[in-house]
Amino acid sequence: MKTITTSLTLALLLAPLAVANELTGTLNGEQHSWHILEHEQGSTANFSELMPGMYSVSIQGHRQNKYETKGTLTIDFMVIQDKVNTASVTYFPESSLTPHYGTKEEVPIQLDVLELNNENGRASGSVKASLLYMESLQAGHTPDNNLQADIRFDVTLQKE
């Protein structure tokens, strides 16, 4: 009985670390899911400590389980003294960086869980935004051409 209790306790303690790396949602009402990719140097879901108390978090999902620009979705946000208010979201429908859809200004983000420690972390939450079309960096955003994004994520973050 002691072995079962110890195993159960250990499983419950480790359970929060086992995240499925889910990045799902809709673009103009069409359901999508993206893959978080892991590689030797880290993951496409990561965070960096810029200075004590200031972190940059990036969640990048790919439409297939491989690196490719087409279909990639990114969510980026800053954490300053444990506070997060806004995020930027970008979607790449083509095989190049432009054209793309993205937020012109940062948008509110809802975080249910944010844990950052020495080597890894976890982020769980959602973001809703209107992603404006950008033909090129010189042309800027086109407000009358947009995608409505409603994205949910629950990911393990690796420290860079």
Side-chain angles (χ1 to χ4, degrees):
M1 182 65 168
K2 184 177 179 183
T3 303
I4 294 172
T5 304
T6 303
S7 297
L8 181 58
T9 302
L10 185 58
L12 290 173
L13 289 172
L14 295 177
L17 299 175
V19 177
N21 277 334
E22 295 179 357
L23 181 58
T24 60
T26 60
L27 297 174
N28 279 352
E30 185 178 323
Q31 189 66 41
H32 292 268
S33 63
W34 294 270
H35 298 272
I36 303 299
L37 305 180
E38 294 187 17
H39 49 85
E40 289 180 17
Q41 291 79 30
S43 168
T44 60
N46 57 69
F47 71 99
S48 300
E49 185 172 17
L50 304 175
M51 63 176 54
M54 180 185 270
Y55 298 90
S56 172
V57 178
S58 179
I59 301 168
Q60 182 183 93
H62 296 267
R63 66 185 179 134
Q64 296 182 41
N65 202 12
K66 66 179 184 175
Y67 287 98
E68 146 178 72
T69 304
K70 186 175 183 176
T72 297
L73 178 89
T74 64
I75 302 169
D76 296 298
F77 59 92
M78 297 286 293
V79 179
I80 302 172
Q81 301 302 328
D82 298 325
K83 293 187 177 153
V84 178
N85 294 321
T86 58
S88 63
V89 181
T90 308
Y91 174 69
F92 300 93
E94 305 288 330
S95 296
S96 59
L97 297 180
T98 54
H100 68 258
Y101 291 86
T103 51
K104 183 175 181 177
E105 298 172 359
E106 293 195 343
V107 296
I109 186 170
Q110 172 66 44
L111 288 175
D112 303 321
V113 174
L114 179 63
E115 300 168 353
L116 304 175
N117 61 44
N118 291 335
E119 296 304 319
N120 56 41
R122 179 180 173 206
S124 177
S126 61
V127 63
K128 292 181 182 182
S130 181
L131 306 181
L132 306 179
Y133 184 75
M134 180 182 274
E135 179 72 35
S136 69
L137 297 177
Q138 296 78 19
H141 292 91
T142 307
D144 58 338
N145 184 354
N146 61 67
L147 291 176
Q148 297 305 309
D150 186 353
I151 309 299
R152 177 94 185 118
F153 55 90
D154 191 355
V155 296
T156 298
L157 302 169
Q158 292 189 19
K159 187 172 184 180
E160 293 219 314

